Amino acid sequence: MPVVDVQPDELRRLTGHEDKSDEEFKDDLFALGLEFEGVTDDGAFQLEFGPDRLDRLSVEGVARSLRYQYGDARGVTVPKTNDADWTIVVDESVPDERPYVTGAVVRGVDLDDAALDSLIQLQEKLHATMGRKRAKGAIGIHDLTMLKGDVLSEQSTGNSITYKGIEPDGDTFVALDSNEELTPAEVLEQHATGRKYADLVSEYDRYPAIYDEIGLFSFPPVINGQRTEVSTNSRDLFVELTGTDQWTIDRMCNIICYALAARGATIEDVEVQYESGTVVKPDFDVETKHVSHDRIETVLGVELEMEEVIDLFERSGLDANAELGEETVYEVSIPPYRVDVLHPLDLVDDIGRAYGFNELEPRYPDVGTVGQRHERSRLEDAARTSLVGLGFEDLLNFHMISEEENYERMGVEVGSDVLGGGEPASITEPYSEDYTMLRTWVLPSLTMVLENNTHRAYPQDLAEIGHVAHRDDSENTRVAEARHVAAVLARHDATYEDAKARLATLCRDFDVELETPATEHPSFIPGRTAAVVIDGEEVGIVGELHPSVIVGHDLELPVAAFEFDLSALA
């Protein structure tokens, strides 16, 4: 989940609620779905929230949501834009892999230290989420006064910059955090940021580059030039975004423009000149969705008047018009910064939050039976209770993971017949490179937690009962799903015997017979690994993690572990 640092004093200033205490803000933010995770050294709130509301990746976006919640703002707002004075010319030499560009000119922005920090954080958070670590979309923000635009023609007094493709060893420029002239290829080899993002463009025949009349000033998606670096003295900005998908970079641009507009800036259009024609950016078109009154009441379980529904939409930052007929249907206008409204249920969720989920009263559903806990759930709870009794800390990790974490860092080959080696159930269009498949086993998730917990005290005994899946064409869905029990013991004296002892106790609690014949697994040390055989069926693995796995996760202590199929305890 994204975590955003937000200064409470900035929230007070941007919301206009100077009298709000920190505790009141925490309660109000929780009602919006933002969970308080702690405080930074400089007093900023650390807020965690679902990755759907990317417009809240900055203090400006959070403040805007609070203003709607407080009733200080209502309905859809679209910033007014001035006519374009700048043009981005897209040259035919632009790499086919990254053909799209968008942008905006922002004038009169007041960038103090807090505002600049917020802008940088927003840029990086958008890169990490919607931009998929810059692979799908990358943002460049420049000091406009340091750009010298080419004159388009004798008939035009406007300025232009050019987005083109260049040879890797072509023109040189001074990159951010550097003092020497480097070619793009040299940036990828010698600059820390260049090395970090080299994989994004290293296979291109020609590299993306943006020029003004002076020369090269931006090497997207890798790094900007030092000449146009933004500082607290910058008042006019040029925002450019390049990527593989026009819709994505347009929406990323909108979120940035709205954040800067909240600081009092004026947005100015930019013309983007493709070979096929010229388009005007930023794209502030308002989209519409429809949802019926009956569906809202059915999902939320409350009766609402039509006027009340419209009021709740407006307090969510939306506009709504009721269309009367056999049933009442609302045509809802979606502001340009909302990238999460894809379905009528997203609108119902907004209504529920504006109404207040804590105000909803639980009631039995209007059906002829009453639900109860599934036997599988009872088994899971019983196993979890036993694990806690054995001293393990119970975890709940994401069911999704990356191929690198699931296979490579654990030393497991895709398609192998060992535990965790099943073919992945991959996500066709992953939202993040960190979550591209359903995990095939649980231990990679636990080792990732250990990797992130090296600053915590030891011993660390962690366990999880969670969902796993792998491709299986014999299943109707072509995916085999299961629940696995996994546990790790990280301590200076962790051994195979420690893991087996706890596994044996767990099996005794469920009156099943455990056998542990020797076996091999690439994630475990040979000779210190055994198969988990319960009631005559091989269902898992137990042993000491291999040094390559431990070192690969920056761990400095031995780790013993086991994992097996939960259904074996039934």
Side-chain angles (χ1 to χ4, degrees):
M1 294 287 193
V3 176
V4 175
D5 295 344
V6 172
Q7 287 287 352
D9 287 340
E10 282 289 281
L11 273 185
R12 293 184 181 93
R13 188 169 70 84
L14 291 170
T15 60
H17 286 258
E18 302 285 349
D19 57 335
K20 283 278 185 179
S21 69
D22 287 1
E23 294 305 317
E24 288 175 313
F25 268 138
K26 291 174 187 178
D27 292 339
D28 297 339
L29 292 167
F30 185 78
L32 289 175
L34 282 70
E35 296 193 26
F36 177 76
E37 292 293 313
V39 179
T40 64
D41 292 339
D42 61 352
F45 290 169
Q46 291 185 304
L47 304 176
E48 181 184 76
F49 57 94
D52 54 339
R53 289 301 300 269
L54 300 182
D55 56 291
R56 294 174 178 166
L57 289 174
S58 67
V59 64
E60 296 86 1
V62 174
R64 180 175 52 245
S65 294
L66 285 173
R67 283 177 56 79
Y68 281 120
Q69 184 181 14
Y70 298 152
D72 298 333
R74 301 181 67 83
V76 173
T77 58
V78 178
K80 292 182 179 179
T81 58
N82 293 335
D83 292 339
D85 183 53
W86 284 78
T87 298
I88 303 175
V89 178
V90 182
D91 191 78
E92 61 181 6
S93 62
V94 165
D96 293 337
E97 299 90 342
R98 205 173 188 89
Y100 301 107
V101 64
T102 190
V105 169
V106 180
R107 297 189 186 273
V109 63
D110 183 11
L111 285 179
D112 57 14
D113 288 331
L116 183 57
D117 289 345
S118 178
L119 180 60
I120 293 171
Q121 176 179 237
L122 175 59
Q123 181 181 11
E124 291 309 311
K125 294 296 184 181
L126 285 174
H127 279 159
T129 53
M130 203 170 182
R132 296 183 187 173
K133 296 184 178 178
R134 305 193 188 186
K136 194 171 185 180
I139 307 160
I141 303 176
H142 311 271
D143 189 327
L144 183 66
T145 60
M146 301 307 296
L147 292 176
K148 186 175 181 181
D150 289 315
V151 177
L152 277 174
S153 67
E154 294 181 0
Q155 294 76 33
S156 172
T157 58
N159 301 292
S160 74
I161 61 174
T162 303
Y163 178 43
K164 62 169 68 174
I166 64 170
E167 296 295 329
D169 293 316
D171 292 333
T172 62
F173 74 115
V174 179
L176 287 173
D177 300 321
S178 177
N179 294 314
E180 56 181 321
E181 294 270 353
L182 299 173
T183 66
E186 289 171 336
V187 169
L188 301 186
E189 294 174 358
Q190 302 177 26
H191 197 289
T193 302
R195 291 192 295 269
K196 182 177 181 179
Y197 296 105
D199 290 345
L200 297 178
V201 297
S202 58
E203 300 300 321
Y204 292 5
D205 294 330
R206 297 174 68 83
Y207 290 169
I210 304 179
Y211 284 73
D212 66 353
E213 186 177 330
I214 298 174
L216 173 63
F217 70 90
S218 181
F219 175 25
V222 180
I223 197 167
N224 294 334
Q226 191 180 91
R227 168 163 62 96
T228 61
E229 182 178 7
V230 175
S231 70
T232 53
N233 295 321
S234 303
R235 292 295 175 264
D236 298 336
L237 309 178
F238 192 99
V239 181
E240 47 83 4
L241 297 91
T242 64
T244 61
D245 179 71
Q246 187 72 59
W247 186 92
T248 298
I249 60 176
D250 280 342
R251 297 309 177 276
M252 291 169 70
C253 184
N254 290 348
I255 292 171
I256 292 172
C257 288
Y258 266 84
L260 292 171
R263 297 277 182 181
T266 301
I267 311 299
E268 182 177 290
D269 288 335
V270 168
E271 292 185 349
V272 180
Q273 192 177 94
Y274 291 102
E275 283 190 65
S276 57
T278 300
V279 292
V280 177
K281 302 295 180 179
D283 181 6
F284 284 162
D285 287 346
V286 175
E287 297 183 354
T288 59
K289 298 284 183 184
H290 293 81
V291 62
S292 69
H293 188 93
D294 180 67
R295 189 167 198 178
I296 294 171
E297 291 188 333
T298 299
V299 172
L300 296 180
V302 294
E303 294 183 1
L304 299 168
E305 298 293 332
M306 183 179 68
E307 292 79 7
E308 188 176 5
V309 171
I310 292 175
D311 176 71
L312 292 171
F313 272 127
E314 291 179 351
R315 286 177 50 206
S316 302
L318 311 172
D319 283 334
N321 294 311
E323 299 175 355
L324 303 179
E326 292 185 6
E327 63 174 345
T328 301
V329 176
Y330 300 96
E331 182 183 68
V332 184
S333 299
I334 317 298
Y337 61 82
R338 290 290 298 273
V339 300
D340 60 301
V341 182
L342 307 176
H343 188 275
L345 284 179
D346 295 319
L347 301 175
V348 178
D349 179 73
D350 277 2
I351 289 289
R353 291 198 180 278
Y355 183 85
F357 285 130
N358 289 337
E359 302 300 320
L360 301 178
E361 296 183 2
R363 58 182 175 82
Y364 281 109
D366 188 19
V367 294
T369 185
V370 176
Q372 59 180 333
R373 190 177 293 275
H374 194 281
E375 283 303 316
R376 180 185 61 202
S377 181
R378 295 180 188 275
L379 175 63
E380 184 176 325
D381 279 359
R384 182 173 286 111
T385 300
S386 292
L387 287 167
V388 171
L390 289 169
F392 289 103
E393 183 173 352
D394 183 42
L395 301 183
L396 177 62
N397 285 302
F398 294 131
H399 300 158
M400 295 174 65
I401 201 171
S402 68
E403 281 86 350
E404 180 184 8
E405 296 288 355
N406 191 83
Y407 299 111
E408 294 176 26
R409 299 187 73 195
M410 300 298 291
V412 174
E413 291 187 11
V414 179
S416 58
D417 59 0
V418 300
L419 181 71
E423 293 285 346
S426 300
I427 311 302
T428 304
E429 299 247 352
Y431 202 75
S432 167
E433 291 181 356
D434 295 328
Y435 308 107
T436 59
M437 59 171 283
L438 294 174
R439 62 184 180 184
T440 57
W441 56 325
V442 179
L443 276 179
S445 298
L446 295 182
T447 54
M448 288 168 65
V449 174
L450 290 176
E451 182 178 23
N452 292 327
N453 273 2
T454 53
H455 61 294
R456 303 289 186 182
Y458 288 93
Q460 294 181 22
D461 298 345
L462 311 176
E464 180 180 1
I465 301 176
H467 179 268
V468 299
H470 66 271
R471 288 285 304 276
D472 186 346
D473 291 338
S474 66
E475 297 284 340
N476 289 335
T477 61
R478 300 194 177 183
V479 175
E481 301 177 75
R483 308 287 288 184
H484 277 197
V485 180
V488 293
L489 298 98
R491 52 180 69 197
H492 74 279
D493 58 351
T495 64
Y496 164 83
E497 287 77 13
D498 294 322
K500 181 183 175 181
R502 286 164 175 77
L503 173 63
T505 302
L506 179 63
C507 290
R508 282 198 300 272
D509 287 346
F510 287 83
D511 196 25
V512 294
E513 182 179 347
L514 172 67
E515 297 175 77
T516 51
T519 190
E520 291 187 358
H521 190 287
S523 300
F524 293 82
I525 299 175
R528 303 184 192 177
T529 309
V532 175
V533 179
I534 295 179
D535 288 344
E537 182 179 357
E538 184 174 334
V539 293
I541 195 85
V542 59
E544 297 177 28
L545 288 187
H546 197 281
S548 63
V549 176
I550 293 175
V551 173
H553 286 82
D554 295 326
L555 304 177
E556 298 180 354
L557 294 173
V559 178
F562 62 81
E563 179 168 342
F564 64 94
D565 193 322
L566 171 66
S567 63
L569 298 178

